[in-house]
Amino acid sequence: LIDQLRAVYVRANLGFDFAAWSHLWKITEGLPGCKRLYLTNDSIIGPLDAEPYRQIIQRVRESNADVVGLTEAPQPRPHLQSYFLAVQGKALRSKLFTGFIDNLLCLPTKDMVIATYETRLTGYLRAAGFRCESLFSGPIPGGHTENDTHHRWAELINCGFPFIKSSVLTLYHDDPRVPSLVPAKFRGG
């Protein structure tokens, strides 16, 4: 994998995902020439299967949205969940996004990062006229919850969601759906 990449950066895990993204944005001087920026973190495992992942990437590339996420949580305010975001179009080079990512602070707790950055970014972007889209916002059997990736994980996978949250594997390791939906190489020993 490393041979296929232009660069690999290793840093201390300070400030969690948002601080890491900001750090790399600054080091790379805003990634000039980048047309689509994928922001992901290590709370997801996968892709569980290559074809659903390929379909997700194709859907992102075909989307007219300025920011694409996989899921949207309704609480404490509607927001795209930050474990997988694609920033593209006019949002990527906007003063709002570049100012946001340039000025992120290295916060000490995950809860602070979620409350300060994750749950607010979508609202800022929408208020500025940017279109934000969740690829898995359509009907999921049983309806939506405050966090579908945690509570409706099996339904999401059955709908073509290519990941599982690592916390789900910890909490639901004895659930009989896990072996049928998650390949053994991702379940651990």
Side-chain angles (χ1 to χ4, degrees):
L1 175 63
I2 290 175
D3 292 339
Q4 298 176 35
L5 303 174
R6 183 180 301 172
V8 175
Y9 296 90
V10 178
R11 65 183 292 279
N13 188 17
L14 301 172
F16 302 91
D17 47 6
F18 280 88
W21 299 333
S22 178
H23 187 181
L24 269 290
W25 179 263
K26 291 171 189 170
I27 288 172
T28 60
E29 299 176 347
L31 295 163
C34 176
K35 293 182 176 35
R36 182 176 297 108
L37 176 62
Y38 289 95
L39 301 171
T40 64
N41 68 35
D42 64 355
S43 70
I44 54 174
I45 295 172
L48 304 176
D49 188 321
E51 184 54 24
Y53 180 70
R54 187 199 63 73
Q55 291 172 7
I56 291 300
I57 297 302
Q58 187 62 35
R59 288 175 66 192
V60 168
R61 290 175 177 163
E62 292 172 354
S63 175
N64 292 324
D66 299 298
V67 181
V68 180
L70 296 185
T71 54
E72 183 166 348
Q75 299 297 326
R77 61 192 57 80
H79 65 279
L80 295 174
Q81 292 183 285
S82 66
Y83 61 85
F84 184 105
L85 297 171
V87 184
Q88 56 191 18
K90 62 184 180 179
L92 183 58
R93 298 293 165 207
S94 71
K95 287 183 181 181
L96 179 80
F97 178 74
T98 58
F100 175 82
I101 201 161
D102 272 335
N103 293 298
L104 292 170
L105 300 175
C106 192
L107 300 176
T109 70
K110 181 179 175 181
D111 287 341
M112 288 178 74
V113 171
I114 291 169
T116 305
Y117 299 132
E118 178 180 11
T119 64
R120 297 177 187 274
L121 177 60
T122 305
Y124 293 145
L125 292 163
R126 285 180 173 151
F130 295 109
R131 185 163 170 252
C132 299
E133 174 187 18
S134 167
L135 296 183
F136 288 88
S137 61
I140 294 174
H144 290 282
T145 67
E146 71 277 2
N147 186 344
D148 284 341
T149 58
H150 185 78
H151 300 288
R152 313 271 326 142
W153 60 271
E155 292 84 349
L156 279 169
I157 293 171
N158 284 326
C159 289
F161 189 78
F163 301 106
I164 190 165
K165 297 287 267 185
S166 58
S167 60
V168 167
L169 288 180
T170 301
L171 290 169
Y172 298 101
H173 66 281
D174 290 332
D175 188 305
R177 297 173 295 177
V178 170
S180 67
L181 295 172
V182 181
K185 66 182 178 181
F186 297 116
R187 295 194 310 262

